[in-house]
Amino acid sequence: MSEEAAGEGRVRVVGTAHVSADSIREVEDAIEEDRPDVVAVELDEGRYRSMKGGTPDDIEPGDLLRGNTVFQFIAYWMLSYVQAQLGERFDVEPGADMLAAVETAEELGIDVALVDRDIQETMQRFWSRMSLIEKLQMVGGLAFGLGDVRGVGVVLGLLLGFFIGPVVAVFGGGLGIGMPILARVTGGVVVAVAAGALVWILGAAALDAEDRALAAVGVGVALGGVVGFGLGVADPLVASLSPFLVRIVGSMALGLLTGVTLGTAAGVVVGAFGGGAGDDVEDIDMSRMTDTDVVSAMMEEFRAFSPGGAEALIDERDAYIAHRLVGLRQSGANVVAVVGAGHREGIERYLEHPKELPPMASLTGTTAGRFPWGKIVGTLISLVAVGSFVLLALSTVGNSALIRLFLAWFLINGVFAAGLAKAAGSRWLSALVGGAVAWMTSINPLLAPGWFTGYMELRHTPVNVSDIGRLNELLSDEERPLGELVSEMFDVPLFRLIMVVAATNVGSIIASLLFLAYVLPLFALDLGGAEGITRLMLEGARNGWDIVWSALVGGS
């Protein structure tokens, strides 16, 4: 209870656990006992409308695709999923305490005040306050909670393979991996792809998608290793390919094979020692849940490695809600405020010492967050890439070489961006649009090809916040087979859109790395290696300076 001077109202803060049945009774009793003028609840307009059974607004394309909003939805989904899991574990609907407060107030004819900050604004501030490492840890934690740790190891191994492949391509000769070995490996890849495609086509009538994919991969790898690499059946075909292509395909295959092997082995070891996702819900004591609400409890753990994120999700909301309650109190209203127990202490402290409240303007709107090192580094890389191309264009390297370089940049970006977008479930037109602009967005840190793919997708399929509830329902079904689970998750528009946008961007990033790691070094070898490239760039710089100097002298 917090009271002020005569003439002002009073505020009683009721702290609840959002999934506690006891909290529901406590809320109802407090409102019926006090009969306040206003019942204030820890809800914003959107969550209130959703809780009352209203239809959530369709998410505008600009709001969803601008900046880091996709990642904010991932963060929001994660928080929502944790709370939904707890609610199912204890057989209480998440948010039932807030619903009880609203319904009790309506039954007694008491006004209801929504005093929490908009959830999207909160998630934007939460996301922007976190460092890159903290974001990766949070999203990685969600990934480990959704999949088998060995599967995660395979995925991480694939990513590792993209970094091992360039090392093999550039330095393989010194390691004993010359063109004969790369040619055999390329032959194995050719056989593996052909065999896998054949199994995929012929198995359509007899196998489901998951079994067909496993069969295609298994048969393809086996035949590629034995028939292609071991027996050299594809050697005549490989001999007709350019050495440049053989070097790229062979080194990439070796890199991916090494990465997947290491990742799978690491996943097996971690899984054997209990490193998979645990079910912390079983260890929660309901008698202790009234001391902190679900979201705040998890965020308090985040505070150790993300003080900024916890500040946005907990501390700022304490101050925001306290501002609203102080305003109600100063208007003379008697208030029962129903909030998560994790917010109670901070709110009551501000109610007792309102002069300590930070300005309301500092608690609303977007925030720039941490120093944008990522954007700065990305901009510098873009400037270096464009500058290098300009210097080469000003040298005597020749137009044909520059055209080949640009076409390689365009094609590799387009193929990877469009291919991964289509694999994630996009329409062909959306994938092709993302692939067509990937070469340009790769050198512009202010743009992302996924935005274009996402806009095209949203023209056909709108998404809304209720999709998160559907995702939580799917993820809470522990009996559902993995293949069916993934398939149904992709049927949820929000999840499919997020995956399409992310896959397009990831494809462009992979393509850029491959271009820098493969194409440029091999292109440099054709021009005399690092020494030759340096000479041409210096020549281009001199020619460029001559052009500028001539223009200045001629103009004067």
Side-chain angles (χ1 to χ4, degrees):
M1 184 86 66
S2 177
E3 298 187 15
E4 279 292 315
E8 291 193 346
R10 59 183 175 83
V11 177
R12 175 181 177 180
V13 181
V14 179
T16 72
H18 293 321
V19 293
S20 168
D22 292 337
S23 290
I24 296 174
R25 290 189 292 270
E26 181 183 357
V27 166
E28 294 170 343
D29 293 344
I31 296 174
E32 292 178 356
E33 176 185 331
D34 278 36
R35 298 296 174 109
D37 301 310
V38 178
V39 172
V41 290
E42 184 197 324
L43 292 172
D44 63 347
E45 181 65 33
R47 283 180 289 160
Y48 170 79
R49 196 165 60 244
S50 177
M51 185 186 68
K52 294 289 287 182
T55 302
D57 295 333
D58 286 345
I59 301 170
E60 293 297 326
D63 293 334
L64 180 61
L65 300 177
R66 183 177 57 248
N68 289 322
T69 310
V70 167
F71 302 104
Q72 295 165 31
F73 267 99
I74 294 176
Y76 182 27
W77 173 27
M78 185 188 72
L79 300 178
S80 175
Y81 174 62
V82 170
Q83 192 172 11
Q85 286 286 82
L86 289 171
E88 182 176 339
R89 167 68 175 83
F90 297 112
D91 197 26
V92 178
E93 186 71 19
D97 51 349
M98 299 299 156
L99 181 60
V102 171
E103 292 179 343
T104 303
E106 291 175 345
E107 291 173 1
L108 298 176
I110 299 172
D111 292 336
V112 175
L114 309 177
V115 295
D116 200 4
R117 188 170 60 188
D118 182 84
I119 184 62
Q120 297 306 322
E121 189 174 325
T122 294
M123 293 315 302
Q124 189 279 332
R125 294 172 72 95
F126 167 60
W127 187 261
S128 66
R129 296 286 184 84
M130 299 178 72
S131 69
L132 176 61
I133 298 300
E134 293 163 359
K135 292 172 183 176
L136 291 176
Q137 286 177 328
M138 186 186 73
V139 177
L142 178 63
F144 275 89
L146 297 181
D148 185 273
V149 67
R150 289 165 295 184
V152 175
V154 171
V155 174
L156 294 179
L158 286 171
L159 296 177
L160 178 62
F162 281 112
F163 292 96
I164 297 176
V167 176
V168 175
V170 178
F171 304 105
L175 301 174
I177 306 175
M179 287 301 295
I181 293 180
L182 293 178
R184 274 299 180 93
V185 172
T186 301
V189 171
V190 171
V191 173
V193 171
L198 185 62
V199 171
W200 176 263
I201 294 172
L202 296 179
L207 301 172
D208 60 27
E210 183 179 2
D211 291 338
R212 189 158 47 125
L214 290 174
V217 172
V219 172
V221 171
L223 291 181
V226 175
V227 178
F229 181 80
L231 301 179
V233 171
D235 285 355
L237 175 61
V238 174
S240 65
L241 302 176
S242 69
F244 178 81
L245 181 60
V246 171
R247 187 184 298 274
I248 288 180
V249 174
S251 58
M252 173 59 71
L254 288 176
L256 292 177
L257 179 61
T258 303
V260 169
T261 301
L262 294 175
T264 303
V268 171
V269 172
V270 172
F273 287 93
D279 189 1
D280 295 334
V281 173
E282 300 292 339
D283 300 326
I284 292 180
D285 182 359
M286 278 298 293
S287 65
R288 298 178 59 188
M289 283 193 66
T290 54
D291 294 331
T292 179
D293 67 46
V294 176
V295 175
S296 296
M298 186 171 64
M299 287 302 100
E300 286 295 347
E301 296 180 5
F302 282 2
R303 195 186 294 274
F305 72 89
S306 180
E311 179 184 0
L313 199 65
I314 303 173
D315 302 336
E316 287 186 355
R317 288 173 63 214
D318 289 351
Y320 184 95
I321 294 172
H323 262 293
R324 300 292 304 276
L325 296 178
V326 167
L328 290 171
R329 185 174 65 186
Q330 290 176 343
S331 70
N334 294 327
V335 182
V336 168
V338 181
V339 301
H343 294 289
R344 179 174 181 174
E345 181 180 352
I347 291 172
E348 290 186 332
R349 183 176 64 253
Y350 282 128
L351 290 175
E352 293 174 3
H353 307 284
K355 293 182 179 180
E356 296 180 1
L357 278 169
M360 191 64 155
S362 68
L363 304 173
T364 57
T366 58
T367 174
R370 297 172 178 267
F371 195 74
W373 287 111
K375 291 184 178 179
I376 291 176
V377 172
T379 301
L380 291 175
I381 293 175
S382 299
L383 292 175
V384 170
V386 174
S388 300
F389 191 87
V390 170
L391 291 177
L392 288 174
L394 292 171
S395 71
T396 57
V397 69
N399 291 334
S400 60
L402 291 176
I403 292 174
R404 289 200 307 271
L405 188 64
F406 175 78
L407 287 177
W409 175 257
F410 178 86
L411 289 174
I412 195 171
N413 270 279
V415 168
F416 273 85
L420 289 187
K422 183 58 183 174
S426 76
R427 291 172 171 79
W428 272 113
L429 180 59
S430 303
L432 292 175
V433 168
V437 301
W439 71 272
M440 176 180 62
T441 58
S442 296
I443 59 175
N444 188 340
L446 301 179
L447 294 175
W451 298 359
F452 296 87
T453 308
Y455 273 119
M456 296 298 295
E457 286 293 296
L458 281 170
R459 294 179 61 185
H460 300 278
T461 307
V463 299
N464 58 57
V465 180
S466 64
D467 291 344
I468 294 177
R470 175 56 181 158
L471 290 174
N472 290 340
E473 292 177 7
L474 291 172
L475 294 172
S476 63
D477 186 355
E478 299 179 356
E479 302 299 324
R480 194 184 302 268
L482 179 60
E484 181 182 338
L485 172 64
V486 173
S487 176
E488 293 197 24
M489 287 177 68
F490 270 95
D491 289 337
V492 180
L494 177 59
F495 181 80
R496 185 171 65 251
L497 179 66
I498 289 175
M499 295 305 295
V500 165
V501 171
T504 307
N505 293 336
V506 169
S508 182
I509 293 172
I510 291 174
S512 299
L513 292 174
L514 291 177
F515 184 84
L516 294 174
Y518 282 149
V519 178
L520 283 185
L522 297 178
F523 181 79
L525 290 176
D526 292 339
L527 298 177
E531 182 180 350
I533 286 289
T534 302
R535 177 182 55 78
L536 288 170
M537 286 188 174
L538 290 175
E539 180 185 13
R542 286 193 298 269
N543 292 340
W545 171 251
D546 290 341
I547 294 173
V548 173
W549 179 254
S550 298
L552 292 175
V553 172
S556 61

